Amino acid sequence: MSEWLRFHQAHARMYLEVSEVDRWRHHELKYWVGYEERKAQEIAARMRSTTA
């Protein structure tokens, strides 16, 4: 689970950085930032619930 969490967090950062450079696809990339952040939050919540 922790590997998937790092995966989604890294992809969110990458999409955010690219969105600042690629203004033509800025809004599409911002969508993917949100998607990856939501996936990371879901995984973090699952990790918390299994350790509690």
Side-chain angles (χ1 to χ4, degrees):
M1 293 291 279
S2 62
E3 190 66 30
W4 279 113
L5 178 60
R6 285 191 299 274
F7 173 86
H8 289 293
Q9 290 170 333
H11 278 88
R13 285 190 304 273
M14 181 269 303
Y15 285 127
L16 183 60
E17 290 177 21
V18 174
S19 76
E20 296 302 319
V21 177
D22 188 351
R23 301 310 288 178
W24 186 255
R25 292 182 178 86
H26 177 79
H27 294 290
E28 177 186 357
L29 291 162
K30 294 297 267 189
Y31 164 82
W32 286 110
V33 169
Y35 173 84
E36 295 292 352
E37 287 175 342
R38 284 189 303 277
K39 293 302 263 183
Q41 290 170 353
E42 291 171 12
I43 292 168
R46 269 193 274 161
M47 289 172 66
R48 283 191 302 273
S49 70
T50 59
T51 60

